[in-house]
Amino acid sequence: MSRLSHQDLRRNFRQLLASRTCYHTASVFDPMSARIAADLGFEVGILGGSVASLQVLGAPDFALITLSEFAEQATRIGRVAQLPVIADADHGYGNALNVMRTIVELERAGVAALTIEDTLLPAQFGRKSTDLITVAEGVGKIRAALEARVDKDMAIIARTNAGILPIQEIISRTKHYQAAGADGICMVGVQDFDQLEQIAEHLSVPLMLVTYGNPALRDDKRLAELGVRVTIDGHGAYFAAIKATYDSLREQRQIFTQASDLNATELTHTYTQPEEYIRWAKEFMSVKE
């Protein structure tokens, strides 16, 4: 059976970006899920940072996973993947120099594309996890990523949060990232088509949206007309796996009380124990002078 190489998959993703179609990603988190997604005909997959944290650490999405742990999981997927996989590389695991290391490791792992976001991570104590770095620092990270890349077919996508800034600031940020050479712009928090149209009007690179199934953005034809080539609806497959594991083991133990009938969100909260991390943050990160 013929297999596609990493370079083949990167070229396929480039063709996807150059098309006039909007594609939906499959959430892939291990080799088996990558094989399933490809077999079902998905054109592209994504390895989410939050999902990798759950899969590798059983920890909440508090920027706890390290580059080496994330790259190892990406490598496992890259060994078998027969669809292009986008890696959610968070903030590049540090400053611009860390971003360069991130590019080297994830390119070696075989991903077809990766996103570098301008979120201030890890979040400082008492601050929101949506705080952003300066545009200048964000531009520096994109330029560093492009410098570190060896295979020019691997796409470097700049990501920002469109849900927390005035529209003119979003436009300014995305224009700067485009000018820095990003192969695409990824946005989370776009509310509706009116907002998307105002942003897209100023951009010429392909767009990627993290929609989490936002019903106000469920028109693939219109998305495609505005330059959106990839949408990420969420990571339902992994959370369904958590629920299935819980139900299977609960049945094995013959536990059928009403209190144990938790949904996937409740299960994730229960077993990642975020309250512990919040307590530790208060104890060790709250600086008292």
Side-chain angles (χ1 to χ4, degrees), residues 1-228:
M1 183 178 66
S2 62
R3 284 180 49 82
L4 297 173
S5 69
H6 292 159
Q7 192 168 49
D8 291 332
L9 294 172
R10 288 168 183 157
R11 289 171 178 165
N12 287 351
F13 185 72
R14 287 284 183 173
Q15 292 174 3
L16 181 154
L17 291 181
S19 73
R20 295 183 177 274
T21 303
C22 178
Y23 297 92
H24 294 264
T25 59
S27 179
V28 297
F29 44 86
D30 63 7
M32 187 67 77
S33 61
R35 282 179 168 156
I36 291 170
D39 185 61
L40 292 175
F42 278 90
E43 296 84 3
V44 60
I46 184 163
L47 171 61
S50 59
V51 171
S53 183
L54 291 170
Q55 177 83 356
V56 176
L57 302 176
D61 189 20
F62 289 172
L64 298 170
I65 193 168
T66 64
L67 169 60
S68 59
E69 291 168 329
F70 185 81
E72 285 173 4
Q73 193 68 358
T75 300
R76 295 184 185 103
I77 294 170
R79 287 194 187 106
V80 306
Q82 289 295 282
L83 80 170
V85 174
I86 305 166
D88 168 12
D90 286 344
H91 63 319
Y93 299 94
N95 60 27
L97 300 183
N98 298 109
V99 167
M100 298 182 80
R101 173 72 190 283
T102 297
I103 298 301
V104 170
E105 297 301 328
L106 293 181
E107 183 173 338
R108 182 183 301 168
V111 303
L114 55 83
T115 60
I116 299 291
E117 64 186 78
D118 56 6
T119 311
L120 180 61
L121 293 175
Q124 297 176 353
F125 180 76
R127 300 295 300 273
K128 296 180 179 179
S129 60
T130 52
D131 287 348
L132 303 184
I133 59 177
T134 66
V135 174
E137 185 176 356
V139 166
K141 287 190 174 188
I142 298 305
R143 292 179 57 222
L146 295 169
E147 175 70 22
R149 178 180 64 182
V150 174
D151 186 350
K152 305 304 181 185
D153 283 327
M154 186 177 73
I156 306 296
I157 301 171
R159 171 173 160 166
T160 193
N161 193 324
I164 61 174
L165 294 174
I167 188 68
Q168 291 304 320
E169 290 189 36
I170 300 167
I171 292 170
S172 177
R173 274 188 182 256
T174 53
K175 286 176 64 178
H176 275 91
Y177 298 154
Q178 175 177 270
D183 296 305
I185 300 294
C186 175
M187 290 178 286
V188 63
V190 173
Q191 299 171 5
D192 51 38
F193 278 106
D194 289 340
Q195 186 186 31
L196 178 60
E197 285 176 356
Q198 292 181 65
I199 300 169
E201 180 183 356
H202 300 273
L203 300 172
S204 58
V205 295
L207 304 181
M208 186 167 110
L209 294 185
V210 183
T211 67
Y212 298 118
N214 181 356
L217 293 168
R218 287 182 182 170
D219 185 336
D220 288 351
K221 182 179 179 181
R222 193 172 176 189
L223 288 170
E225 290 172 349
L226 291 171
V228 178

